[in-house]
Amino acid sequence: MNILLLAIGAALVNNVILSQFLGLCPFLGVSKNVKTATGMGAAVIFVMTIASAATSMIYYGILKKLGLEYLNTIVFILVIAALVQFVEMFLKKKIKPLYESLGVYLPLITTNCAVLGIAISNVQEGYTIFQSIVNGFGSAVGFTLAIVILAGIREKLAYSPIPESFKGTPIVLITSGLMAIAFFGFAGLI
Amino acid sequence: MNKCTERLYNGIVKENPTFVQMLGMCPTLAVTSSAINGAGMGLSTTCILILSNFVISLLRKVIPDKVRIPSFIVIIASFVTVIQFLMQAYLPSLNASLGIYIPLIVVNCIILGRAESYASKNKPLPSMFDGMGMGLGFTIGLTVIGAFRELLGKGCVFGYQILGDDNLLQHSSGIFKAIGDVLGLYTPVTIFVLAPGAFFVLAFIIAFINKKTAKKQALSDSRTPVSCKPESCAGCTNLMCGGKIFAESNENKAALQKPLKGEPKQEEVPNTSAEKSKPEEVLKASEDESKPEEAQKVSAEENGFHQENGIEIKSIMNKIARYHEANPGMVKPIEVPEAEAENVKAEADVSVPNSRNSRKKKKNNGKGGKQS
């Protein structure tokens, strides 16, 4: 039960983008149509789950045992960068169709605040390794949900009469703000 | 102006990270719930920018090109860790309010972008001033947004109550007290200090800036900010760039795959523009076969054009006009071209079910039938 609450909380209540403001750059930049948004979301789910697992294992296995917790920022970012490289090479060799569909989004996720942010908050909240994986997966599902919804709205927005100075980024930000208000409704869920 | 003051001016006014380049959006929206938090975050980022730019510029000839980005990240991360612990020790309240965003300065696009585009190519002293300029520009941006949000959401600025109940002016006398009473009628709109308010405030600020620069953009050709031009790419993936990278790389792929004569459909159409370019490719194939490249260039251009501007209807009308120009026999039912055209249309409709393109073609088809 606790795990389920953790997953739902991570996806809906403390949504990575709309509540914690992590991962805004890809959220606003890659959400032009639903296809690219789902691609990005899938890539983020993939990377965030594996990264949460790897970083929490390294934290509890190596850093904490040697008393080197202060190195966690440096170690985490290097681990995430290396992980994305390895995952890309592995997918390219073994599971070509998945690599083709994820495409250019994999390298884009390396400097994404979402992955590093979730990794650090897993450690700061003191989650066990399994809880970190669930938190990572739930957060990534929440990211995918938000970005796909925004992509759907943006596709429709292209046909609407928008004032000249609001075209482009401002109207997307206002839409995200309204989505954030909507997601407030989940606050009483857990 | 000498080089250093020019760097300062550049960072604060000309290429302000928040308002012009729109980098580092995550901390911008997250920590600006009050002006003090915004200023604190901005100043920490400034320190890290100065230090990291300095060190990276010193080491620019030593670091090999292949491991450039990871080594930059290590240098920046080390400074962030140092600053984080200093803040934990000496500024605990700021540390508590900024929370997780202090370690996230590592992946702030501004720092990596400046390191990549300026510090790795210039001497240490100008790099330091570049870092200072960008950092101060960022701080000013954050403080302004924070002040707006705090004022509208709580009625205070930097902790001093100005609007709403029990504001500062009410404690004085005479005309100031009267003004204070009027200002006291304001009820703070709490949503502005919460997550959605950040989005709204930033949207209106950017709209305001768009309005101001609309005339300038009309005169100059480019719509991309300086940090996004090919020759001066800041190397980050902010919201201006995230979509363009894909559009450009896909256009390059499309331009490389030149169509063979008589090929009805393009295989390996790139991902993002799949739905829009397939009917274009099909249309192009049925046009005059002597100019496939031109049409593809135009379609790629228009694809990017209407992806940016959302003026799809105009481009669709243009495409249909060109198609009718190239195939004047469409209106009358001539056997061979019409059969080909029907096949082509059927393919287009199947490939993009129920899109605006296929619906428009069905409409025109009906019109053609009526006239004949």
Side-chain angles (χ1 to χ4, degrees):
Chain A
M1 267 297 73
N2 211 3
I3 289 292
L4 189 61
L5 286 177
L6 183 62
I8 293 181
L12 297 175
V13 182
N14 296 326
N15 188 288
V16 179
I17 305 174
L18 300 173
S19 188
Q20 295 182 42
F21 288 117
L22 302 171
L24 274 178
C25 299
F27 176 67
L28 295 170
V30 186
S31 57
K32 288 215 170 119
N33 54 41
V34 179
K35 227 178 177 183
T36 54
T38 29
M40 183 70 177
V44 169
I45 292 180
F46 200 53
V47 172
M48 210 185 261
T49 318
I50 301 182
S52 305
T55 49
S56 64
M57 277 195 271
I58 289 183
Y59 185 79
Y60 288 114
I62 303 179
L63 293 179
K64 209 162 187 188
K65 288 222 170 112
L66 299 176
L68 294 172
E69 292 98 331
Y70 56 88
L71 288 181
N72 71 346
T73 311
I74 307 176
V75 171
F76 282 4
I77 187 73
L78 286 177
V79 165
I80 292 173
L83 191 67
V84 171
Q85 280 290 91
F86 282 133
V87 162
E88 202 180 340
M89 290 196 298
F90 175 76
L91 283 186
K92 204 171 182 178
K93 265 195 168 176
K94 299 285 182 180
I95 316 178
K96 203 92 201 271
L98 186 61
Y99 174 78
E100 296 287 324
S101 55
L102 291 181
V104 288
Y105 303 114
L106 272 184
L108 210 64
I109 300 170
T110 313
T111 52
N112 185 358
C113 5
V115 181
L116 184 64
I118 295 293
I120 293 182
S121 75
N122 281 343
V123 156
Q124 275 184 357
E125 306 271 325
Y127 291 146
T128 65
I129 295 183
F130 183 60
Q131 284 175 333
S132 308
I133 299 176
V134 171
N135 189 30
F137 180 73
S139 307
V141 168
F143 179 92
T144 309
L145 191 68
I147 200 174
V148 168
I149 292 176
L150 186 68
I153 297 177
R154 270 184 96 166
E155 281 187 349
K156 296 283 183 189
L157 264 185
Y159 302 117
S160 311
I162 304 173
E164 196 57 49
S165 50
F166 276 89
K167 281 194 183 147
T169 316
I171 195 68
V172 175
L173 286 173
I174 293 181
T175 313
S176 320
L178 293 172
M179 275 171 65
I181 297 181
F183 269 67
F184 271 170
F186 290 119
L189 199 61
I190 55 168
Chain B
M1 268 192 264
N2 70 346
K3 206 160 185 191
C4 296
T5 29
E6 189 264 337
R7 285 283 103 205
L8 279 179
Y9 179 72
N10 190 45
I12 298 179
V13 180
K14 227 168 63 164
E15 285 184 29
N16 187 300
T18 311
F19 297 129
V20 177
Q21 296 184 46
M22 288 194 256
L23 300 178
M25 283 289 107
C26 300
T28 308
L29 294 177
V31 308
T32 47
S33 52
S34 71
I36 282 277
N37 286 350
M41 180 59 147
L43 289 173
S44 346
T45 313
T46 310
C47 290
I48 294 178
L49 259 177
I50 297 176
L51 291 170
S52 71
N53 265 14
F54 185 61
V55 171
I56 289 176
S57 178
L58 282 177
L59 294 176
R60 71 186 183 282
K61 305 210 170 142
V62 176
I63 300 176
D65 196 53
K66 289 250 167 182
V67 291
R68 205 175 71 242
I69 302 282
S71 46
F72 290 168
I73 292 182
V74 170
I75 295 173
I76 298 171
S78 332
F79 282 122
V80 168
T81 314
V82 167
I83 298 277
Q84 184 184 357
F85 284 117
L86 283 175
M87 282 178 74
Q88 268 179 9
Y90 296 113
L91 299 168
S93 57
L94 189 63
N95 185 49
S97 55
L98 293 182
I100 197 180
Y101 294 98
I102 303 173
L104 284 182
I105 297 176
V106 178
V107 287
N108 193 337
C109 307
I110 301 177
I111 305 187
L112 203 58
R114 292 325 287 174
E116 168 85 18
S117 68
Y118 196 84
S120 58
K121 299 173 190 160
N122 291 284
K123 298 207 174 128
L125 197 61
S127 302
M128 252 177 70
F129 276 94
D130 177 71
M132 196 186 296
M134 286 285 157
L136 287 178
F138 188 58
T139 310
I140 291 174
L142 287 189
T143 314
V144 165
I145 296 178
F148 260 125
R149 283 180 68 189
E150 206 183 351
L151 190 64
L152 293 172
K154 283 193 284 197
C156 7
V157 174
F158 284 103
Y160 297 111
Q161 189 82 20
I162 296 185
L163 296 176
D165 284 338
D166 193 32
N167 57 38
L168 280 179
L169 285 176
Q170 275 179 345
H171 291 289
S172 50
S173 58
I175 186 145
F176 294 116
K177 188 162 194 309
I179 298 175
D181 283 332
V182 169
L183 291 178
L185 295 173
Y186 176 76
T187 322
V189 184
T190 320
I191 199 105
F192 279 104
V193 287
L194 300 172
F199 285 117
F200 293 144
V201 169
L202 191 63
F204 278 93
I205 291 179
I206 296 177
F208 181 68
I209 293 174
N210 278 349
K211 204 170 177 184
K212 287 248 158 180
T213 57
K215 287 176 197 167
K216 270 193 216 167
Q217 272 185 357
L219 294 175
S220 83
D221 230 25
S222 65
R223 310 194 78 190
T224 58
V226 184
S227 60
C228 281
K229 292 209 176 89
E231 64 267 12
S232 56
C233 173
C236 58
T237 48
N238 59 352
L239 29 105
M240 308 285 284
C241 206
K244 281 205 179 99
I245 290 180
F246 309 124
E248 277 166 21
S249 69
N250 287 328
E251 276 169 35
N252 283 337
K253 278 192 208 162
L256 285 175
Q257 294 172 16
K258 299 222 167 136
L260 301 168
K261 278 203 172 182
E263 212 180 81
K265 228 179 190 176
Q266 275 286 345
E267 253 83 75
E268 291 172 293
V269 176
N271 230 355
T272 51
S273 46
E275 281 106 330
K276 287 179 185 143
S277 60
K278 265 189 187 163
E280 287 177 41
E281 244 76 50
V282 168
L283 270 181
K284 171 190 55 63
S286 61
E287 273 177 20
D288 216 356
E289 239 136 50
S290 61
K291 37 179 179 171
E293 291 155 68
E294 234 182 69
Q296 191 172 33
K297 256 193 234 161
V298 172
S299 73
E301 205 180 68
E302 270 190 337
N303 206 17
F305 178 67
H306 69 65
Q307 257 190 357
E308 267 181 34
N309 292 294
I311 317 177
E312 273 191 43
I313 300 172
K314 195 175 173 186
S315 72
I316 291 173
M317 298 299 280
N318 281 339
K319 271 183 269 176
I320 292 175
R322 277 206 321 275
Y323 179 68
H324 280 288
E325 267 177 40
N327 298 294
M330 254 302 300
V331 177
K332 294 190 186 149
I334 299 177
E335 276 287 299
V336 175
E338 199 183 50
E340 273 183 29
E342 294 262 332
N343 275 339
V344 156
K345 280 230 191 95
E347 280 179 55
D349 287 345
V350 161
S351 69
V352 190
N354 219 22
S355 74
R356 276 188 89 84
N357 278 336
S358 63
R359 274 185 263 133
K360 281 249 169 195
K361 283 197 199 100
K362 280 180 190 156
K363 251 191 186 174
N364 283 328
N365 221 352
K367 273 191 195 161
K370 273 185 198 162
Q371 285 184 19
S372 66

